[in-house]
Amino acid sequence: KLQEARASILRAIKIGRAIKSSRCIHYALIGLGDLHIIEAQEKLANMASPPSDDTQHLLRRAKTTLQRVVSLEGLEAEPTIEGKYLLATTLNLLGETEMAHRLASATLKEAWENEVIRSAGHILRLLGSIAQHNLDFAEAELNFEQALQIFHERELHMDYARTLYLYSKMLLQRGTLAE
């Protein structure tokens, strides 16, 4: 299915270029960056060892694609915020946690200002994961709880479930380290 998704995204980029629609190209590039992240996460989930060169390559491609997208001028707030969120996710997966945290924090502020609430929830979940990685469990808990509240209020069940899963992993890690 990922190959079908790739083909559709590449077709969207081609069509966007043919009709000279920067908006269409922008959305398709965000989709391509997201696809690279999904492919890398799938490879990471199937490994017990450190990330392979192939996984790192996918993440670097995602980073390059998303950096290009967020640098485009004159585009709507929502896709720009989504692109920045995905770029922060990529940086986090590459181990660039400080840069990921800075970008996610700035993007969260932008999401609140533009009332892009679902993206704000995604960013809060990412900030929770970054705080967990840094063993700042109080900050992680705060971020996860805020994300859960957003997803619950808007009845975004899949986002709620993903956040609850990460929150529970953090609680288990905190409990293990406390023992």
mmCIF file of all heavy atoms in Angstrom, residues 50-80:
data_model
loop_
_atom_site.group_PDB
_atom_site.id
_atom_site.type_symbol
_atom_site.label_atom_id
_atom_site.label_comp_id
_atom_site.label_asym_id
_atom_site.label_seq_id
_atom_site.Cartn_x
_atom_site.Cartn_y
_atom_site.Cartn_z
ATOM 1 N N PRO A 50 20.055 -0.492 16.348
ATOM 2 C CA PRO A 50 20.003 0.910 15.943
ATOM 3 C C PRO A 50 19.505 1.050 14.499
ATOM 4 O O PRO A 50 19.583 0.104 13.715
ATOM 5 C CB PRO A 50 21.461 1.373 16.055
ATOM 6 C CG PRO A 50 22.108 0.417 16.980
ATOM 7 C CD PRO A 50 21.383 -0.884 16.809
ATOM 8 N N PRO A 51 18.999 2.243 14.148
ATOM 9 C CA PRO A 51 18.459 2.448 12.806
ATOM 10 C C PRO A 51 19.472 2.126 11.706
ATOM 11 O O PRO A 51 20.657 2.438 11.831
ATOM 12 C CB PRO A 51 18.106 3.932 12.795
ATOM 13 C CG PRO A 51 18.003 4.329 14.218
ATOM 14 C CD PRO A 51 18.910 3.418 14.980
ATOM 15 N N SER A 52 18.979 1.529 10.655
ATOM 16 C CA SER A 52 19.831 1.183 9.523
ATOM 17 C C SER A 52 20.106 2.421 8.681
ATOM 18 O O SER A 52 19.471 3.463 8.836
ATOM 19 C CB SER A 52 19.143 0.116 8.661
ATOM 20 O OG SER A 52 17.994 0.681 8.040
ATOM 21 N N ASP A 53 21.066 2.275 7.764
ATOM 22 C CA ASP A 53 21.371 3.366 6.841
ATOM 23 C C ASP A 53 20.154 3.708 5.988
ATOM 24 O O ASP A 53 19.914 4.869 5.676
ATOM 25 C CB ASP A 53 22.546 2.986 5.939
ATOM 26 C CG ASP A 53 23.862 2.936 6.700
ATOM 27 O OD1 ASP A 53 23.940 3.536 7.790
ATOM 28 O OD2 ASP A 53 24.804 2.301 6.195
ATOM 29 N N ASP A 54 19.375 2.678 5.628
ATOM 30 C CA ASP A 54 18.182 2.880 4.815
ATOM 31 C C ASP A 54 17.162 3.740 5.567
ATOM 32 O O ASP A 54 16.559 4.652 4.998
ATOM 33 C CB ASP A 54 17.578 1.525 4.428
ATOM 34 C CG ASP A 54 16.441 1.655 3.432
ATOM 35 O OD1 ASP A 54 16.536 2.507 2.531
ATOM 36 O OD2 ASP A 54 15.458 0.890 3.561
ATOM 37 N N THR A 55 16.991 3.471 6.844
ATOM 38 C CA THR A 55 16.060 4.246 7.666
ATOM 39 C C THR A 55 16.547 5.685 7.794
ATOM 40 O O THR A 55 15.762 6.626 7.653
ATOM 41 C CB THR A 55 15.912 3.619 9.068
ATOM 42 O OG1 THR A 55 15.514 2.253 8.917
ATOM 43 C CG2 THR A 55 14.906 4.358 9.904
ATOM 44 N N GLN A 56 17.831 5.847 8.047
ATOM 45 C CA GLN A 56 18.407 7.194 8.143
ATOM 46 C C GLN A 56 18.243 7.947 6.830
ATOM 47 O O GLN A 56 17.942 9.148 6.827
ATOM 48 C CB GLN A 56 19.894 7.108 8.524
ATOM 49 C CG GLN A 56 20.132 6.614 9.935
ATOM 50 C CD GLN A 56 19.632 7.589 10.975
ATOM 51 O OE1 GLN A 56 19.822 8.790 10.875
ATOM 52 N NE2 GLN A 56 18.958 7.069 11.985
ATOM 53 N N HIS A 57 18.405 7.233 5.722
ATOM 54 C CA HIS A 57 18.238 7.850 4.397
ATOM 55 C C HIS A 57 16.800 8.348 4.217
ATOM 56 O O HIS A 57 16.582 9.467 3.740
ATOM 57 C CB HIS A 57 18.615 6.848 3.300
ATOM 58 C CG HIS A 57 18.395 7.360 1.921
ATOM 59 N ND1 HIS A 57 19.188 8.330 1.348
ATOM 60 C CD2 HIS A 57 17.455 7.040 0.994
ATOM 61 C CE1 HIS A 57 18.755 8.596 0.140
ATOM 62 N NE2 HIS A 57 17.701 7.818 -0.104
ATOM 63 N N LEU A 58 15.820 7.536 4.596
ATOM 64 C CA LEU A 58 14.418 7.953 4.491
ATOM 65 C C LEU A 58 14.150 9.194 5.336
ATOM 66 O O LEU A 58 13.461 10.120 4.899
ATOM 67 C CB LEU A 58 13.489 6.813 4.931
ATOM 68 C CG LEU A 58 13.313 5.659 3.963
ATOM 69 C CD1 LEU A 58 12.616 4.487 4.648
ATOM 70 C CD2 LEU A 58 12.532 6.109 2.736
ATOM 71 N N LEU A 59 14.704 9.217 6.542
ATOM 72 C CA LEU A 59 14.500 10.368 7.418
ATOM 73 C C LEU A 59 15.186 11.620 6.877
ATOM 74 O O LEU A 59 14.630 12.722 6.961
ATOM 75 C CB LEU A 59 14.975 10.048 8.832
ATOM 76 C CG LEU A 59 14.116 9.025 9.581
ATOM 77 C CD1 LEU A 59 14.798 8.596 10.876
ATOM 78 C CD2 LEU A 59 12.724 9.567 9.843
ATOM 79 N N ARG A 60 16.362 11.464 6.309
ATOM 80 C CA ARG A 60 17.046 12.625 5.708
ATOM 81 C C ARG A 60 16.264 13.146 4.503
ATOM 82 O O ARG A 60 16.180 14.361 4.293
ATOM 83 C CB ARG A 60 18.479 12.269 5.331
ATOM 84 C CG ARG A 60 19.412 12.194 6.541
ATOM 85 C CD ARG A 60 20.879 12.103 6.139
ATOM 86 N NE ARG A 60 21.172 10.967 5.281
ATOM 87 C CZ ARG A 60 21.471 9.743 5.699
ATOM 88 N NH1 ARG A 60 21.516 9.489 6.988
ATOM 89 N NH2 ARG A 60 21.728 8.775 4.851
ATOM 90 N N ARG A 61 15.673 12.235 3.726
ATOM 91 C CA ARG A 61 14.840 12.655 2.588
ATOM 92 C C ARG A 61 13.609 13.403 3.086
ATOM 93 O O ARG A 61 13.211 14.423 2.505
ATOM 94 C CB ARG A 61 14.433 11.451 1.746
ATOM 95 C CG ARG A 61 15.576 10.942 0.890
ATOM 96 C CD ARG A 61 15.221 9.705 0.105
ATOM 97 N NE ARG A 61 14.128 9.935 -0.807
ATOM 98 C CZ ARG A 61 13.520 8.966 -1.491
ATOM 99 N NH1 ARG A 61 13.919 7.714 -1.353
ATOM 100 N NH2 ARG A 61 12.535 9.241 -2.310
ATOM 101 N N ALA A 62 13.001 12.894 4.150
ATOM 102 C CA ALA A 62 11.845 13.577 4.734
ATOM 103 C C ALA A 62 12.247 14.974 5.195
ATOM 104 O O ALA A 62 11.533 15.952 4.942
ATOM 105 C CB ALA A 62 11.277 12.768 5.895
ATOM 106 N N LYS A 63 13.383 15.068 5.867
ATOM 107 C CA LYS A 63 13.864 16.359 6.373
ATOM 108 C C LYS A 63 14.065 17.348 5.231
ATOM 109 O O LYS A 63 13.592 18.491 5.301
ATOM 110 C CB LYS A 63 15.169 16.151 7.142
ATOM 111 C CG LYS A 63 15.762 17.415 7.721
ATOM 112 C CD LYS A 63 17.060 17.112 8.460
ATOM 113 C CE LYS A 63 17.755 18.360 8.946
ATOM 114 N NZ LYS A 63 19.031 18.055 9.615
ATOM 115 N N THR A 64 14.718 16.910 4.170
ATOM 116 C CA THR A 64 14.976 17.790 3.025
ATOM 117 C C THR A 64 13.673 18.241 2.377
ATOM 118 O O THR A 64 13.485 19.432 2.086
ATOM 119 C CB THR A 64 15.856 17.063 1.986
ATOM 120 O OG1 THR A 64 17.076 16.681 2.614
ATOM 121 C CG2 THR A 64 16.150 17.942 0.794
ATOM 122 N N THR A 65 12.764 17.295 2.158
ATOM 123 C CA THR A 65 11.480 17.615 1.531
ATOM 124 C C THR A 65 10.704 18.604 2.381
ATOM 125 O O THR A 65 10.183 19.608 1.877
ATOM 126 C CB THR A 65 10.642 16.327 1.327
ATOM 127 O OG1 THR A 65 11.364 15.437 0.477
ATOM 128 C CG2 THR A 65 9.287 16.640 0.710
ATOM 129 N N LEU A 66 10.619 18.350 3.681
ATOM 130 C CA LEU A 66 9.830 19.205 4.558
ATOM 131 C C LEU A 66 10.477 20.570 4.769
ATOM 132 O O LEU A 66 9.775 21.576 4.893
ATOM 133 C CB LEU A 66 9.571 18.491 5.877
ATOM 134 C CG LEU A 66 8.665 17.264 5.733
ATOM 135 C CD1 LEU A 66 8.737 16.374 6.967
ATOM 136 C CD2 LEU A 66 7.236 17.680 5.430
ATOM 137 N N GLN A 67 11.803 20.632 4.778
ATOM 138 C CA GLN A 67 12.466 21.938 4.869
ATOM 139 C C GLN A 67 12.126 22.789 3.654
ATOM 140 O O GLN A 67 11.902 23.994 3.773
ATOM 141 C CB GLN A 67 13.979 21.767 4.986
ATOM 142 C CG GLN A 67 14.439 21.344 6.352
ATOM 143 C CD GLN A 67 15.923 21.054 6.422
ATOM 144 O OE1 GLN A 67 16.525 20.568 5.463
ATOM 145 N NE2 GLN A 67 16.522 21.325 7.574
ATOM 146 N N ARG A 68 12.080 22.140 2.491
ATOM 147 C CA ARG A 68 11.718 22.862 1.266
ATOM 148 C C ARG A 68 10.288 23.372 1.353
ATOM 149 O O ARG A 68 9.997 24.511 0.984
ATOM 150 C CB ARG A 68 11.886 21.938 0.053
ATOM 151 C CG ARG A 68 11.671 22.642 -1.259
ATOM 152 C CD ARG A 68 12.040 21.827 -2.471
ATOM 153 N NE ARG A 68 12.282 20.424 -2.222
ATOM 154 C CZ ARG A 68 11.879 19.444 -3.010
ATOM 155 N NH1 ARG A 68 11.200 19.716 -4.094
ATOM 156 N NH2 ARG A 68 12.149 18.199 -2.738
ATOM 157 N N VAL A 69 9.377 22.542 1.857
ATOM 158 C CA VAL A 69 7.970 22.915 1.957
ATOM 159 C C VAL A 69 7.774 24.094 2.903
ATOM 160 O O VAL A 69 7.080 25.054 2.564
ATOM 161 C CB VAL A 69 7.110 21.715 2.426
ATOM 162 C CG1 VAL A 69 5.713 22.154 2.783
ATOM 163 C CG2 VAL A 69 7.063 20.643 1.371
ATOM 164 N N VAL A 70 8.361 24.040 4.076
ATOM 165 C CA VAL A 70 8.115 25.102 5.064
ATOM 166 C C VAL A 70 8.802 26.409 4.673
ATOM 167 O O VAL A 70 8.449 27.453 5.213
ATOM 168 C CB VAL A 70 8.496 24.678 6.499
ATOM 169 C CG1 VAL A 70 7.686 23.473 6.930
ATOM 170 C CG2 VAL A 70 9.967 24.436 6.663
ATOM 171 N N SER A 71 9.728 26.359 3.734
ATOM 172 C CA SER A 71 10.390 27.588 3.300
ATOM 173 C C SER A 71 9.603 28.318 2.210
ATOM 174 O O SER A 71 9.916 29.461 1.895
ATOM 175 C CB SER A 71 11.805 27.280 2.799
ATOM 176 O OG SER A 71 11.750 26.571 1.581
ATOM 177 N N LEU A 72 8.572 27.668 1.651
ATOM 178 C CA LEU A 72 7.775 28.304 0.602
ATOM 179 C C LEU A 72 6.964 29.450 1.190
ATOM 180 O O LEU A 72 6.423 29.357 2.282
ATOM 181 C CB LEU A 72 6.845 27.276 -0.055
ATOM 182 C CG LEU A 72 7.520 26.116 -0.775
ATOM 183 C CD1 LEU A 72 6.476 25.101 -1.228
ATOM 184 C CD2 LEU A 72 8.328 26.607 -1.962
ATOM 185 N N GLU A 73 6.858 30.518 0.431
ATOM 186 C CA GLU A 73 6.153 31.721 0.883
ATOM 187 C C GLU A 73 4.710 31.730 0.378
ATOM 188 O O GLU A 73 4.385 31.110 -0.628
ATOM 189 C CB GLU A 73 6.869 32.977 0.360
ATOM 190 C CG GLU A 73 8.254 33.183 0.917
ATOM 191 C CD GLU A 73 8.246 33.585 2.368
ATOM 192 O OE1 GLU A 73 7.329 34.313 2.785
ATOM 193 O OE2 GLU A 73 9.156 33.157 3.095
ATOM 194 N N GLY A 74 3.868 32.459 1.085
ATOM 195 C CA GLY A 74 2.517 32.728 0.627
ATOM 196 C C GLY A 74 1.554 31.558 0.696
ATOM 197 O O GLY A 74 0.550 31.559 -0.015
ATOM 198 N N LEU A 75 1.826 30.598 1.549
ATOM 199 C CA LEU A 75 0.942 29.454 1.642
ATOM 200 C C LEU A 75 0.089 29.546 2.908
ATOM 201 O O LEU A 75 0.408 30.274 3.841
ATOM 202 C CB LEU A 75 1.762 28.166 1.615
ATOM 203 C CG LEU A 75 2.530 28.000 0.300
ATOM 204 C CD1 LEU A 75 3.592 26.935 0.440
ATOM 205 C CD2 LEU A 75 1.594 27.666 -0.834
ATOM 206 N N GLU A 76 -0.986 28.804 2.921
ATOM 207 C CA GLU A 76 -1.929 28.840 4.031
ATOM 208 C C GLU A 76 -1.280 28.366 5.322
ATOM 209 O O GLU A 76 -0.329 27.588 5.313
ATOM 210 C CB GLU A 76 -3.134 27.962 3.700
ATOM 211 C CG GLU A 76 -3.884 28.416 2.474
ATOM 212 C CD GLU A 76 -4.877 27.374 1.977
ATOM 213 O OE1 GLU A 76 -5.085 26.360 2.657
ATOM 214 O OE2 GLU A 76 -5.434 27.592 0.898
ATOM 215 N N ALA A 77 -1.853 28.810 6.439
ATOM 216 C CA ALA A 77 -1.284 28.490 7.751
ATOM 217 C C ALA A 77 -1.364 27.000 8.063
ATOM 218 O O ALA A 77 -0.389 26.405 8.543
ATOM 219 C CB ALA A 77 -1.999 29.285 8.835
ATOM 220 N N GLU A 78 -2.498 26.364 7.812
ATOM 221 C CA GLU A 78 -2.684 24.972 8.226
ATOM 222 C C GLU A 78 -1.664 24.018 7.605
ATOM 223 O O GLU A 78 -1.016 23.258 8.335
ATOM 224 C CB GLU A 78 -4.109 24.515 7.934
ATOM 225 C CG GLU A 78 -4.421 23.172 8.547
ATOM 226 C CD GLU A 78 -5.898 22.831 8.489
ATOM 227 O OE1 GLU A 78 -6.724 23.702 8.168
ATOM 228 O OE2 GLU A 78 -6.213 21.673 8.771
ATOM 229 N N PRO A 79 -1.468 24.014 6.285
ATOM 230 C CA PRO A 79 -0.461 23.092 5.740
ATOM 231 C C PRO A 79 0.969 23.468 6.137
ATOM 232 O O PRO A 79 1.818 22.585 6.292
ATOM 233 C CB PRO A 79 -0.666 23.162 4.228
ATOM 234 C CG PRO A 79 -1.424 24.409 3.990
ATOM 235 C CD PRO A 79 -2.218 24.681 5.218
ATOM 236 N N THR A 80 1.222 24.741 6.330
ATOM 237 C CA THR A 80 2.555 25.156 6.766
ATOM 238 C C THR A 80 2.829 24.633 8.170
ATOM 239 O O THR A 80 3.916 24.109 8.454
ATOM 240 C CB THR A 80 2.683 26.691 6.720
ATOM 241 O OG1 THR A 80 2.438 27.127 5.379
ATOM 242 C CG2 THR A 80 4.061 27.143 7.152
#
